[in-house]
Amino acid sequence: MSSQIDHLLNETRKFAPSPEFVDNAIATQEMYAEAKADREAFWADQARELLTWSTPFTEVLDWTNPPFAKWFADGKLNVAYNCLDRHVEAGNGDRVALLFEGEPGDTREVTYAQLTDEVKRLANVLTDLGIGKGDRVAIYLPMIPEAIASMLAVARLGAAHSVVFGGFSADSLRSRIDDAGAKVVITADGGYRKGRVSPLKPAVDQALSDRGNGVQATVEKVLVVNRCGNDVQWTEGRDLWWNDLVPSASNEHTPEGFEAENPLFILYTSGTTGNPKGILHTSGGYLTQAAFTNRTVHDLHPETDVYWCTADIGWITGHTYVTYGPLANGATQVLYEGTPDSPHPGRWWELVEKYGVTVLYTAPTAIRSFMKMGRQVPEQFDLSSLRLLGSVGEPINPEAWMWYRHVIGGDSTPIVDTWWQTETGAIMISALPGITETKPGSAQVALPGISIDVVDEKGNDVGDGNGGLLVITEPWPSMLRGIWGDPDRFVETYWKMFQDKGYYFAGDGARLDEDGDIWLLGRVDDVMNVSGHRLSTAEIESALVGNEAVAEAAVVGASDETTGQAVVAFVIIKESYLKTHQPDGLAQNLRLWVGEQIGPIARPRDIYIVGELPKTRSGKIMRRLLRDVAEGREVGDTTTLADTAVMSTISRQVK
């Protein structure tokens, strides 16, 4: 099958940054030239400039055993020291690290000195529980300051954490605890979600009990934060209250330097086989690229900015751009426990106004859900503090990009649309604000020091104006170091396709426009073959959302006797549109609309108007399940959905 992906949607708008933004931007055009001249020297400079090393490195990259890279291998550092102690020592202990807002409205301001104090106490508690270098700790917490403190305390001891998203089931939690061989679990009685207590401790109890193959074997202690005061069962000798132990522990703790390649965390990502993959990241290279990208892509000025990344720490975005990047840079950030629409639809914008947020980094899914509610919600709040907007998680369609810029950014803020993955550890492709003329919907350019190409199935560059497979052609500091306990799967999954060239294949389709800028076309699995044309679902979804009636769309390819595959679309209609229009005949009008926007070849065979789409807790649309519906199959596993009832509702609507 050809890897050439037909490109049918044209977007020509461009936005240059304002002169004021350019004057104060951290990123410079020279960075590209420096990185191009000597990539390894460029990253070595970043590592020395942005981090404090207890033992300076002399070796930058060891690529003698690809695809197993080592960065800064003879250097030593302490990740938690870099995120905390050094800022206090520099006289910034009174700077606020976390502006915490609980869903019920409770608030806490945590300074760098206070967070450092808490992490030292927790590190001493964990040491008493037998945690040291090389051990693994599972973290299953809501978005509260204790979650950040837990990650940093584990890192401080040279142990590795495995954060499991607080919405995952007991079975998902158990499989991750087993695979990592965790000795301690840090959890809470519960967290607040959509106005209710979402219990967490009961899921831990279930996960550690006999799930049909015996009780969990490696966990010795469970440390529990009292967040909600809900009743929990207690196992004497195993379960311990955080609130009893941590405040009374000593706040004296000297951080030790660990090798740059010491494991920092394992983060599980769904595998196509059903077995989650434990993506392993190490310390020095990861923290270098986390700090560099957060500083330059988000144009982070720690003395003046109030930064807010809305991701949960259960995902990679929450690791890199809530915990490690911002704290390594000494930033002040908002930490919000709840959902975007609770207790009211304008909750996020209320927080932007309340805290004077200047940099907002969120997902296209959230942006489209706000589009669905209508602009009258954000327009009730003063968003004038915002000076930079970011997008992460999946390609953002041009209409959502324009809405974000116009309604949230007041037609003036640059937007950085970032491409990266759990596996890459940090941002790889993005506009650099203050330098790049941005294009709605395009991730645009590889960052300085990152080598990206779009190639055909033989690994040959497709050239400007063409589509193909997105590859990373050179090792990068924050790259995954393997799949935990399974080196063969690591090679097979990411490196086998272009083994002769040493390219990492991400699984994404992309195209290069006439300027050489990169446009993501979604997963290669989401490319359809319609009458011999390979069409990207992302482009057809973009066309649908470009219609005034549509808030969100998901497109899948369903098998078709005539065309091989047919386009099937599931769309959510804007509430504002339904107030003034009847939905009768809308599906047919949307079919014709796609034909006009892209061409008759892309016109959907079927369009289903639905109330909701199947999404994971991180907001990714699970197209696999929609494909099941479109092809009349039994719907597959729905356990990772935020709302498992969605699929039965969609199935009824389709029938």
Side-chain angles (χ1 to χ4, degrees):
M1 191 202 302
S2 163
S3 61
Q4 172 69 41
I5 299 171
D6 293 288
H7 154 58
L8 302 164
L9 195 67
N10 279 307
E11 172 59 59
T12 54
R13 292 169 286 194
K14 294 182 181 181
F15 299 91
S18 69
E20 301 79 46
F21 199 103
V22 173
D23 288 346
N24 292 305
I26 286 171
T28 63
Q29 194 69 51
E30 289 74 46
M31 286 177 173
Y32 293 106
E34 287 166 20
K36 195 172 182 187
D38 191 334
R39 198 171 53 87
E40 289 186 28
F42 173 80
W43 284 118
D45 288 345
Q46 301 308 321
R48 292 186 186 104
E49 182 188 334
L50 295 169
L51 305 182
T52 301
W53 296 79
S54 53
T55 302
F57 59 87
T58 61
E59 180 184 301
V60 181
L61 169 65
D62 177 353
W63 191 232
T64 54
N65 181 29
F68 299 93
K70 292 178 181 175
W71 282 86
F72 317 121
D74 60 347
K76 289 186 178 181
L77 78 169
N78 187 287
V79 169
Y81 174 86
N82 273 279
C83 293
L84 297 172
D85 310 52
R86 65 177 179 148
H87 303 311
V88 178
E89 291 167 9
N92 293 320
D94 290 340
R95 182 181 295 166
V96 175
L98 306 174
L99 293 160
F100 170 71
E101 178 102 14
E103 194 183 80
D106 57 316
T107 61
R108 278 190 266 169
E109 279 195 4
V110 184
T111 65
Y112 273 90
Q114 290 167 332
L115 188 56
T116 305
D117 186 84
E118 181 90 339
V119 168
K120 287 177 174 179
R121 292 176 195 273
L122 180 55
N124 284 322
V125 169
L126 291 173
T127 301
D128 291 346
L129 299 182
I131 297 299
K133 180 183 173 183
D135 289 323
R136 275 85 60 205
V137 174
I139 298 172
Y140 186 65
L141 283 169
M143 284 293 284
I144 54 178
E146 289 83 356
I148 310 287
S150 297
M151 295 168 78
L152 291 167
V154 172
R156 191 177 188 91
L157 298 174
H161 55 70
S162 168
V163 180
V164 181
F165 175 62
F168 276 167
S169 66
D171 284 330
S172 300
L173 180 59
R174 171 64 175 265
S175 67
R176 287 156 172 78
I177 290 171
D178 282 348
D179 190 74
K183 274 173 75 169
V184 169
V185 178
I186 304 177
T187 189
D189 49 5
Y192 291 99
R193 188 174 176 82
K194 293 187 185 285
R196 293 193 302 273
V197 171
S198 171
L200 292 171
K201 173 69 162 52
V204 175
D205 293 336
Q206 284 178 13
L208 300 182
S209 66
D210 188 344
R211 312 290 294 159
N213 53 357
V215 295
Q216 206 285 328
T218 59
V219 172
E220 296 166 10
K221 301 290 180 185
V222 177
L223 189 59
V224 187
V225 178
N226 183 347
R227 165 68 182 140
C228 301
N230 48 307
D231 288 338
V232 291
Q233 290 185 323
W234 207 251
T235 303
E236 287 301 331
R238 183 195 75 183
D239 297 349
L240 306 160
W241 281 115
W242 172 300
N243 308 59
D244 291 342
L245 293 181
V246 178
S248 58
S250 165
N251 66 351
E252 293 293 319
H253 187 277
T254 305
E256 181 187 336
F258 297 102
E259 299 83 4
E261 284 298 328
N262 190 51
L264 178 60
F265 64 86
I266 305 163
L267 186 56
Y268 288 87
T269 179
S270 316
T272 43
T273 60
N275 296 332
K277 303 190 290 281
I279 304 301
L280 174 66
H281 282 286
T282 56
S283 303
Y286 168 79
L287 196 61
T288 297
Q289 197 170 328
F292 169 75
T293 50
N294 181 228
R295 185 168 174 266
T296 51
V297 175
H298 298 126
D299 191 51
L300 194 61
H301 297 260
E303 305 78 21
T304 52
D305 275 320
V306 177
Y307 165 87
W308 184 17
C309 169
T310 65
D312 190 283
I313 55 153
W315 313 108
I316 187 65
T317 307
H319 281 55
T320 307
Y321 298 110
V322 175
T323 301
Y324 292 111
L327 295 177
N329 282 312
T332 296
Q333 65 177 324
V334 172
L335 188 71
Y336 175 54
E337 176 185 36
T339 54
D341 54 357
S342 192
H344 60 83
R347 178 64 150 158
W348 273 14
W349 314 120
E350 179 182 66
L351 295 179
V352 169
E353 178 181 285
K354 176 177 178 178
Y355 293 111
V357 172
T358 56
V359 180
L360 178 69
Y361 191 39
T362 192
T365 316
I367 298 160
R368 287 192 290 264
S369 69
F370 291 124
M371 287 174 73
K372 179 183 162 191
M373 289 177 210
R375 64 179 60 195
Q376 70 278 5
V377 176
E379 281 173 354
Q380 295 166 39
F381 301 93
D382 179 3
L383 307 182
S384 60
S385 60
L386 288 167
R387 63 177 197 85
L388 180 69
L389 299 172
S391 167
V392 59
E394 59 183 3
I396 182 170
N397 49 290
E399 288 316 306
W401 194 103
M402 290 300 298
W403 188 93
Y404 195 25
R405 177 184 164 87
H406 175 63
V407 177
I408 307 304
D411 281 327
S412 63
T413 53
I415 294 178
V416 288
D417 173 15
T418 61
W419 177 85
W420 58 296
Q421 303 173 305
T422 304
E423 291 88 345
T424 71
I427 297 167
M428 304 292 280
I429 304 171
S430 173
L432 282 184
I435 295 178
T436 316
E437 193 176 42
T438 54
K439 299 175 181 177
S442 171
Q444 298 202 270
V445 286
L447 292 183
I450 302 298
S451 304
I452 300 271
D453 202 357
V454 179
V455 300
D456 62 21
E457 67 275 15
K458 292 193 171 65
N460 301 315
D461 177 90
V462 295
D464 292 354
N466 296 307
L469 309 173
L470 186 77
V471 294
I472 307 171
T473 62
E474 299 283 357
W476 63 101
S478 65
M479 64 195 287
L480 75 166
R481 298 302 197 263
I483 292 173
W484 182 255
D486 200 343
D488 294 341
R489 189 178 180 193
F490 169 58
V491 175
E492 175 76 26
T493 306
Y494 302 108
W495 302 89
K496 187 158 187 204
M497 186 160 180
F498 299 110
Q499 205 158 12
D500 56 327
K501 287 185 154 57
Y503 292 174
Y504 168 95
F505 174 48
D508 282 336
R511 71 174 176 88
L512 298 170
D513 67 17
E514 303 305 335
D515 301 326
D517 284 345
I518 298 162
W519 295 72
L520 271 299
L521 297 175
R523 307 291 295 165
V524 172
D525 313 346
D526 294 330
V527 171
M528 303 165 291
N529 199 334
V530 180
S531 302
H533 294 267
R534 283 174 51 79
L535 305 179
S536 152
T537 56
E539 289 199 336
I540 302 171
E541 288 167 5
S542 244
L544 284 163
V545 177
N547 185 283
E548 62 168 353
V550 178
E552 258 194 281
V555 168
V556 296
S559 52
D560 184 283
E561 286 180 11
T562 313
T563 58
Q565 275 189 306
V567 178
V568 177
F570 298 79
V571 299
I572 299 174
I573 305 304
K574 287 178 183 166
E575 289 168 18
S576 57
Y577 183 87
L578 289 173
K579 282 176 186 161
T580 54
H581 298 79
Q582 291 298 315
D584 306 344
L586 184 54
Q588 176 59 16
N589 289 345
L590 289 173
R591 287 185 70 244
L592 298 173
W593 167 266
V594 172
E596 288 164 17
Q597 297 295 304
I598 297 185
I601 189 73
R603 198 159 48 215
R605 181 188 73 189
D606 303 306
I607 291 185
Y608 299 108
I609 293 171
V610 295
E612 204 41 82
L613 292 169
K615 292 175 188 166
T616 65
R617 302 276 181 142
S618 66
K620 284 210 167 64
I621 296 168
M622 290 195 72
R623 291 174 181 80
R624 164 176 63 79
L625 301 177
L626 294 174
R627 214 174 285 126
D628 291 344
V629 171
E631 297 187 336
R633 278 195 304 276
E634 188 70 29
V635 172
D637 177 24
T638 61
T639 52
T640 56
L641 291 181
D643 179 358
T644 50
V646 165
M647 282 317 297
S648 51
T649 310
I650 291 174
S651 299
R652 281 197 304 275
Q653 287 172 298
V654 168
K655 284 173 183 148

